[in-house]
Each structure stands twice: as C-alpha cells, then as structure tokens.
Amino acid sequence: MRRSALPLACGLLAAGLVTVPSPTPVGATLPASCSVPTSTGHQPSFTYLGRYTVGGLPSGETAAEIVAQEGARLYVMNVASLDIVNIGDPTNPVRIATITLPNDPTSVAVKNGLVAVAVPAAVDTDPGQVLFFKGTRQVGAVQVGSLPDMVTFTPDGSLLLVANEGQPNSYGQPDSVDPEGSVSIIATAPFRGADRRRHHHAEPRVTTVGFADFNAGGRRSGELPADVRISGPGASVAQDLEPEYITVSDDGRWAWVSLQENNAIAKIDVRRGRVERIIALGYSDHSLPGFGIDASDKDNAINIANWPVKGMYMPDGVANYRVGGETFVLTANEGDAREYDGMPGGADVQRAKDVADLSLFPEAASNAALARLNVTTVAPATVGPDGKLTSLYSLGSRSFSIRTANGDLVWDSGDDFECLTADLYPATFNASNSNDTFDNRSDDKGPEPESVVVGKVGRRTYAFIALERIGGVMVYDITDPHAPTFVQHLMTRTFGGAEVGPDSGPEGLVFVPAAKSPTHQAMVIYGNEVTGTAVLWGIGA
C-alpha cells in the first residue's frame, strides 16, 4: 500500500519541502524504516496570510473549533457563539458580527448564503437541532437526532446532511440512556430567499437514516460485517453506531459517514434516504515496515518501531474526490476511546502492561517499550482464560488513508506523520496541543490526524490533513491515489514559549479553490480550538 522513498534524516528541511516556525529545529536520527514518498516535481507555493483570534472567552473554553467559508465571509464556531469574519483582506481578518447560540454548538456549514449550525440539546441524549441563518437572522430550526456533531450541504445546496452521534450518558446505570445514531437529511428550500416565501407554510422535509435494520434479528443484520466494532455494554447495533463526519459526492447522490468508535464507514444513498452499506475498515499492522509507531512516552527517545500491535483506523474527518471517473474516499485516522460510567475500568482502553498476557508480549513489561501503550480491552481484542489480552489493538492508526467508494484500501500513509514530525520537531516530538512536552502522546494516538479536505490547484490534487496534537496541516499530492507524495507541513505553532501558541489544536479545516476565494487565490483555512485562532494560508499554483 506504500512505496519506499527518500529517507528523512533532516533531508526535508534541507530541501525546503516544509514550512516551520522559527527557530528551525535540529534534525533527529531516525530509524532506516522512516522513509516518506516525497514530491520532487513542481508543487504550489504556500504563504502564511494571517490569523483571526476569537478572544474574550473565559479561560479554558474552546473556540474556533470549526470553520466554514463562503466568499469573503469566514464563519468561526465557538463554545456558545458563531463569529462572522470578513476575510476580503486575509492578512487582516475582521469580525463583523457574532451570533449567540444555545448550549455548545458543534458544527457550522454555509452554502449560497444559508448558514446551518448544529446545536445539541441541553441534555445531550435528547434530540438536538439545526438552526438556519441568513446573515445574522435566524430563518428556521429543525429537530434532528441526539448530539448532532457535523453538518454539511450537498454541492447544490438543496439538502443538508447531519451526523447525529447519539452518544450514551453511561452504560447499565439506573439513569442510563443510549440514543441511536443516525443521519438527518434536510431539504433546505423552505429557508432560502424566494424559496422561503414560496414555502413559508411548508414544514421542513427531514429524512432520518437510521441503523435499526442492522440490529440482531433485523432484516439487514446479515449485512453487518463481522469486523464492525460493536462494543458498548448492552448496546444494540443502532445504539452503538455513532456517526461522526460526512462527505458528499460531487453529484450529491452518495455520502460517506465515519463511524469512528466502530472503526467503520456507512455509505448512504442520499436520494433514497437509506444506508447502502456499512464498511468495516480493518486494521493497520504496526508490525510491518513503514507502519511503525512510537509506543512509549517514558523512553526519553524517538523510537518509531514495529510492534505486535494492530491499529484500528477509527477515522474522524472524511473527504472524497474523483479520478478518471472513479470516486476515492480519504480518512483521517484519529482514533477515539469510550469513557463512561458502567464500562469495566471506566473506559475501553488500558495500558498494555496492565491488561496483556506478558508471556505473549514481553515488550509490555517495559515502560521503555510497549508497556504504556493504550490498547482496547474490548472488541476486537481477544482475551485468554486468565482474563488477560492475547491480542493488542490501539486506537487510531496515526495516518490518513485513501479507499475506493466501497471501502477497499488503496493507500495509507503509515508512519509518515510521526517520521516527519520527528524530523522537524525532535525536541517536542509527539507533544500535545496543550503542552510542549517531548513524547507526551506516544503512548496514546501520536499526532492524531483529525480532519482532511481535498482541493485542486492547477492540474494537481492535494490532501490537507490537520494534526490535532503537534499541530499544523500536512499536505500531500494525491493526484495519483495509488502513489501520493508528501509536499509540505504548514505550521504556525512555535515551541518553548510561556504559553502554547500562537496556534494549537487544529480541528476544522476548509480548502478554498481560487474560483471561490475573495482574493482569487486558493487558500486553506483551519481552526485551532486550544488557542481560539483561525489560520489562513495562500496557495500559489
């Protein structure tokens, strides 16, 4: 799935293939297995343009988690508000309005001037809402499923899709509630200009796509792949599946929905309002060359190596694009744990040393090796007669993947992200988004690829992948989906200061094609939830 390529060993810095904050870090000595397919032909130029800082929020509150853009307006989602920002001059973004929102809104999207905001209920397990705005004026509200977590329009704007995550509040407790996950499809005509006047008496048409047919004994239960991870204690399939993120095909016919905790994707037939199929994503084998991980935060070293561990992809963000008439789906393989009352141990992950059969995994006896890696204690892990794990599965694969429209794996970046960041930031390798501590996240999910978008610049197509922990955005040339190559790391976080920043914790990410940019130059914009900043980069062909 990967091709061997240029070894790192500081070569990327010397070749000028990366953008790094000042001062430039000293390169690390990396294992020979660290080789990254690197673009050598003509590639676009990247220029830092500016940042928008939310400001004024209480300490500890997240801001700028999700961003959306249309024309000269940038929409920045905060903990209880939506900022509308003029980016006509991207070097000087200026807030022009703020909309106060109830509860903790989770997502924003915009199409043809209509803005949609996902708002969970005050009690997360109750049905949530999508609020619609024209400018700062609310023009409608629609009830959707529990915990709406992401909204996106179809390319023509006629429909809005909503990922209703439906997380439980606990398992097996007297007050436990575990809503079913679902996808809402909302017709937007009643909320649009002249259409709104024509349809002002019409109730919004909402189609709910659920998963109850895949429950045990359901009419489609036989279609559920065995490797789809159903792990909540006592949960049905429909309760356990938790839609996270949605990408819609260019023609609006198909949608792919990440089911993160389930290590799966649902392919949705948008026209018919039904699940076409559920796709089990399988596992990344960290024992294979090119797929290593740094598994310990206590070895005081960069140690990207092969281990007897498989990584569940568990994607958060997803995107799609077409090449030669074929659709490909990209996934940012972050990983996510379930931590609820009623789960054994309170969470579905534990340290390998505490739960593994050490006769099978002697590496798990050493903190400098595999002992501290967080692995799942439930499906797909297997347990021996003594109650100890006989197989090790970690959360996330620390990579991004390219798959066919039906889920077959085409390419995976393997250990690229850890190799690249080790080469670029050896003193703060695998630091978290809230500290500069060396090796801090190696025992968990490493750099945590969070979101991915795709964009075309000139004749070539690029993937942009946000790394939630170390920060910044990885750029790959994916013109050939079978042989992507690394282009740049866009980074504005600096290390060693009194505070983390100026930009840390990227979450939401948008690509702005030149034809839809206020400057007629392509841009990539990403929101940083820790620092409450949105960063704008210009892209020159």
Side-chain angles (χ1 to χ4, degrees):
M1 297 300 175
R2 298 180 70 230
R3 296 180 183 177
S4 61
L6 302 176
L8 293 179
C10 306
L12 299 175
L13 290 172
L17 291 172
V18 292
T19 302
V20 299
S22 181
T24 300
V26 178
T29 300
L30 300 175
S33 63
C34 268
S35 58
V36 178
T38 306
S39 296
T40 56
H42 175 75
Q43 296 296 341
S45 60
F46 295 87
T47 304
Y48 166 75
L49 298 175
R51 78 169 48 83
Y52 169 72
T53 302
V54 174
L57 293 177
S59 176
E61 296 284 12
T62 59
E65 182 174 3
I66 303 296
V67 292
Q69 172 273 341
E70 189 169 58
R73 289 195 168 189
L74 179 68
Y75 299 85
V76 181
M77 177 61 65
N78 307 312
V79 68
S81 65
L82 177 69
D83 285 355
I84 305 174
V85 182
N86 186 322
I87 57 169
D89 175 3
T91 67
N92 183 35
V94 176
R95 182 176 62 189
I96 55 178
T98 295
I99 300 172
T100 300
L101 297 166
N103 306 328
D104 292 331
T106 56
S107 184
V108 59
V110 58
K111 189 70 177 180
N112 301 329
L114 183 64
V115 179
V117 177
V119 180
V123 177
D124 281 351
T125 53
D126 289 345
Q129 285 188 313
V130 173
L131 308 181
F132 290 93
F133 295 87
K134 299 288 290 287
T136 59
R137 179 172 62 93
Q138 184 174 330
V139 294
V142 175
Q143 181 174 294
V144 292
S146 167
L147 197 60
D149 197 42
M150 189 267 180
V151 290
T152 187
F153 288 96
T154 53
D156 67 359
S158 64
L159 300 172
L160 181 85
L161 278 69
V162 188
N164 303 306
E165 193 166 6
Q167 290 182 346
N169 61 2
S170 59
Y171 291 108
Q173 309 299 301
D175 62 346
S176 289
V177 178
D178 189 356
E180 294 184 355
S182 64
V183 174
S184 298
I185 303 175
I186 303 170
T188 62
F191 310 113
R192 293 188 178 278
D195 285 335
R196 175 171 168 76
R197 290 191 294 273
R198 185 166 63 248
H199 297 282
H200 70 284
H201 294 300
E203 286 295 321
R205 179 169 56 85
V206 183
T207 300
T208 300
V209 182
F211 301 96
D213 286 345
F214 295 91
N215 287 342
R219 66 184 184 87
R220 301 183 68 183
S221 60
E223 298 178 35
L224 185 72
D227 279 349
V228 173
R229 185 174 184 251
I230 305 299
S231 60
S236 68
V237 170
Q239 289 173 318
D240 206 75
L241 297 181
E242 296 185 2
E244 186 83 23
Y245 203 97
I246 305 172
T247 182
V248 183
S249 62
D250 288 344
D251 62 3
R253 172 67 191 275
W254 303 102
W256 293 266
V257 183
S258 61
L259 307 171
Q260 185 171 28
E261 288 82 357
N262 313 103
N263 195 31
I265 285 177
K267 184 179 180 182
I268 305 293
D269 185 330
V270 177
R271 266 186 223 159
R272 299 173 64 190
R274 71 185 297 272
V275 179
E276 173 73 9
R277 66 178 64 192
I278 297 176
I279 300 162
L281 298 181
Y283 313 101
S284 179
D285 190 342
H286 296 309
S287 70
L288 298 178
F291 292 86
I293 58 172
D294 188 314
S296 175
D297 62 339
K298 296 295 183 182
D299 58 357
N300 197 35
I302 296 171
N303 185 21
I304 302 166
N306 295 119
W307 305 99
V309 175
K310 290 186 178 179
M312 296 178 284
Y313 291 102
M314 304 180 83
D316 189 337
V318 291
N320 79 93
Y321 74 122
R322 288 180 67 78
V323 179
E326 183 176 0
T327 298
F328 294 89
V329 177
L330 285 75
T331 61
N333 305 319
E334 178 197 26
D336 197 15
R338 280 179 167 151
E339 301 180 55
Y340 299 105
D341 290 342
M343 298 195 74
D348 61 358
V349 291
Q350 301 289 337
R351 304 278 186 197
K353 65 179 179 180
D354 297 327
V355 292
D357 181 345
L358 298 187
S359 68
L360 299 175
F361 309 102
E363 305 96 333
S366 169
N367 279 336
L370 197 58
R372 291 185 57 78
L373 181 68
N374 280 309
V375 295
T376 188
T377 55
V378 296
T382 54
V383 180
D386 60 355
K388 295 291 187 178
L389 298 183
T390 58
S391 59
L392 301 180
Y393 290 84
S394 59
L395 306 186
S397 60
R398 312 188 185 192
S399 68
F400 86 100
S401 302
I402 301 178
R403 295 175 179 267
T404 67
N406 289 325
D408 297 326
L409 186 63
V410 172
W411 186 88
D412 186 85
S413 65
D415 54 20
D416 280 10
F417 293 161
E418 282 195 301
C419 287
L420 288 163
T421 53
D423 193 54
L424 293 168
Y425 317 106
T428 50
F429 168 73
N430 273 352
S432 191
N433 50 17
S434 59
N435 62 62
D436 291 351
T437 305
F438 172 81
D439 223 14
N440 185 248
R441 299 294 297 179
S442 292
D443 59 320
D444 204 350
K445 294 172 284 183
E448 287 191 36
E450 169 77 18
S451 54
V452 57
V453 295
V454 175
K456 196 164 186 178
V457 181
R459 296 183 177 182
R460 306 199 68 81
T461 305
Y462 299 90
F464 303 84
I465 307 100
L467 303 183
E468 181 177 2
R469 295 297 174 172
I470 192 72
V473 172
M474 290 290 182
V475 185
Y476 275 70
D477 186 330
I478 58 168
T479 305
D480 179 354
H482 299 274
T485 52
F486 169 70
V487 177
Q488 290 232 19
H489 183 218
L490 309 179
M491 183 71 148
T492 53
R493 176 180 177 179
T494 57
F495 298 100
E499 297 182 357
V500 172
D503 307 299
S504 186
E507 285 270 340
L509 179 66
V510 294
F511 172 80
V512 184
K516 297 183 178 181
S517 168
T519 63
H520 308 293
Q521 179 189 41
M523 291 193 290
V524 63
I525 306 171
Y526 60 95
N528 298 276
E529 66 169 342
V530 172
T531 52
T533 55
V535 178
L536 297 84
W537 286 81
I539 309 172

